[in-house]
Amino acid sequence: MIFKKTGLAALAAATLLMSIAGCSGSGGNTANKPGSDNETSSNQPASGSTSFNLWLGWTATINNDSLVQKYWREQEPGVNVKLETTQGDAMTALNLKINTGGFEDAAIFSRNETVKSAMNRSKQLMPLEQYFDMPDKYPGLASIPKQYLELMKDNEGHIWSIPTWFDQNPEDPWPGWASQAWIVRSDVLEKTGMTKEDLATLEGVETFLRKAAEEKDASGKSLIPLSFLMDTSDNLGWSDENAILTAFGVTTAGNGVDKRGDDFVFAYDDPNYKAAYQWMNKMYQEKLIDPEVVTSKREQYTEKNKSGRIAFNVGSFWNIPASAWETLDGPTEPGWFYEAIPFPKVDGVEKVGINQVTNPNPGYDVYVSEKTKNLEAILKFFDYTLQPKPEQQQVINEGPAGLYWDWIDQPLGKWKFTDETYKTSRNSGDTAQKAKVTPELYMTASYSNEWYPWWNTEDAGKAGAAKTIKFTEAIGKMGTIRVAEPYDLFQMKQGGAWEKYSPEIENIRKEYRAKLLMAKDEGQFEKNWSDFQAALEKRGHWSEVKQEWLDTYKKEVTALQ
C-alpha cells in the first residue's frame, strides 16, 4: 500500500487496519513545526551516552533504583533510565515545564491532541524520522509498522515523537481490556434475597439499592448502596459516570460522537445524557448514592471499598481498585464478592452506548528535547523496548524470562514468578513496595495478539488475580466497545475551535456534573441543566466546536466514500 504524508490516503490506511481492537488512543499525529532549524549535527546521537531522564506524563510512585531499572542499567540495554513524574494535572504540569525551559531529555505522554499541540508549539522538540529508517543500528525502531509512522508525519515529512504501546500486528490486533461496568457485591445481593437476574433492569437495581441501604457492614455501619469515583483528572472518554451513561445509550468513547444513520450525535446533545444525570440525582436525593461521592478522593474511595462499606459500584473496576480482590486467596474480605453484571435495561433505550473505542495505533508518544545531550541513550533504550517480540511488554515490565519470572512449559505459554522476593513486593498491593521492583513501564513497549501476559499467568500472586481476567472478558462481550471508525481518526486543525475550547468544555462538564448530581429538587436540576447548556455555548463555544468537527468530517472522510 502506498501512503502519502497527510490526507485521505493515510486516513484510509488507518481505517483499513481497524479490523478489531487494540489499545485505545487517538489516530495520526501531525505537526507543523518547521524542521530547518533543527536539522543540524546536534541531532546525531553522541556516542557513549548511557543515561537519560524520562519524564512521565502521569502521577506515579517511582524508585529509580528498582530491580528492573537496575537490570536495564547493568545488563540490557545498558542504559540508566532516571524517571521523573508529574504532580497533579498533567496539562498544567506540561505547560509549566514548557514555560520554564522544557524537559531535560525525553517525556512520555498518553497520546493526546492537546499534549501534542502544546509540545509542537513549544519549539523544543527534536525531529526523529531518520532514526526509524536505520535497521542496522536501530532494528527495534525500524520494526515499527510503517502505517503508524506515515500517519505521524507532518506536511514536511517530519515525525516529532517515538510512538509506543501499539499493536505489533495491525492486521490481527489484540482485543484489549474492558473495565467499565456495573459491579455488585454478591454477598450483599444474597443478604437482600435477590439474584443477579433481578438486576437486569434499572428498576431492579433501584430495588436492590433500597434493600442494601438497610444492611450493615462488619463494624455495624449502614452500607453505602451505590458509589463511584468522580476523579478530578478524568475526562468525558474515561470517567466512572460513563458506565451509567452507557446504560442510558450515550456514547462517550472517542470524541464523544455517535453516528446514528446519516447523522452524528454529540454526547452533550444526547437527550439521554440528561436522563442519566436525572437518574443519578434521583438516587442521590434518596440517599442511595454516597453523599460524599463528589468530594471523596481516590484514597477514600479505595478504603470504603476495601473495608466493605459499598454494596454496588459503577465505573471502571480498576478504580475500586482491582487489588481489592487480586490480593486475596478466597472469600476472606469483601473484595472477593465483586461481580460484574450486564448493563441494566433502561426504558426507551434500544441499545447501550459505546464507552470504549479500540484501535491498534500507538497509545503513547515519547517526545525528545532538542537540547538533550543523551540522544544515543534515549534511542538505545526505546530501540530495546520496541523489539517486535510478543512477550516484549512482559520483558519491559518484569525483566527478561529467567530473571524474576519464567515460562512454565514453553515460550508464549503460561508463566509464573520465580523470585519470591520480587513476587512478594510486586503483588503486595502497596505502590511503594511495587516501585522497589518495577516502574511498570509496559507502555514503552508494544503488544501482540500472539501472547498477552496477564491472560496467561499461572501465578500473578493470589487466586483473586484470575477474577480480573474474568471481569474484562465478560465486560468485553456486553456490547459497549466498538472498532474505530474513520470519524474517530481524523485530526482537527491546530489552532481551531476544537483545540481551543475543548479544555474549557471539559472544565464545564466537571463543574456541572456535580451540580446536576446534587440538585436538591427537580426545579433546581432543570435550572442547573439550562445553565450547563448555556455554559457550553457561551464559554465552550459548543456550536462552533461541533460545526468545525462536522466540516472536518465532510472534508476528510466523506471523500473516501
Side-chain angles (χ1 to χ4, degrees), residues 171-318:
E171 303 293 345
D172 181 27
W174 174 66
W177 288 91
S179 69
Q180 290 272 344
W182 291 55
I183 302 169
V184 68
R185 282 257 307 277
S186 62
D187 56 334
V188 178
L189 185 64
E190 184 177 349
K191 287 180 181 179
T192 64
M194 298 179 68
T195 66
K196 286 188 289 186
E197 288 70 26
D198 295 325
L199 306 178
T201 65
L202 198 62
E203 291 76 11
V205 170
E206 291 180 15
T207 298
F208 168 72
L209 296 180
R210 295 184 182 103
K211 289 186 175 184
E214 300 173 358
E215 300 294 332
K216 308 290 184 182
D217 66 8
S219 64
K221 296 179 180 179
S222 295
L223 290 182
I224 298 169
L226 175 64
S227 193
F228 46 91
L229 179 65
M230 297 184 77
D231 194 335
T232 57
S233 63
D234 67 17
N235 53 58
L236 174 65
W238 182 258
S239 75
D240 274 4
E241 300 106 287
N242 284 2
I244 297 174
L245 291 164
T246 299
F248 277 79
V250 180
T251 286
T252 56
N255 291 316
V257 183
D258 190 23
K259 189 175 185 182
R260 299 177 186 174
D262 294 329
D263 298 322
F264 289 99
V265 177
F266 293 78
Y268 302 133
D269 295 341
D270 190 326
N272 280 339
Y273 187 95
K274 178 181 180 181
Y277 275 94
Q278 284 176 314
W279 183 79
M280 285 184 255
N281 176 242
K282 174 187 174 184
M283 296 298 99
Y284 188 84
Q285 288 185 42
E286 291 187 35
K287 303 187 186 306
L288 297 178
I289 289 181
D290 185 354
E292 299 177 331
V293 68
V294 173
T295 57
S296 280
K297 304 294 185 184
R298 180 178 294 272
E299 294 78 13
Q300 294 169 303
Y301 181 67
T302 296
E303 178 54 33
K304 287 177 181 178
N305 278 293
K306 288 193 172 183
S307 64
R309 292 294 315 286
I310 301 172
F312 203 107
N313 297 74
V314 287
S316 171
F317 64 66
W318 298 119

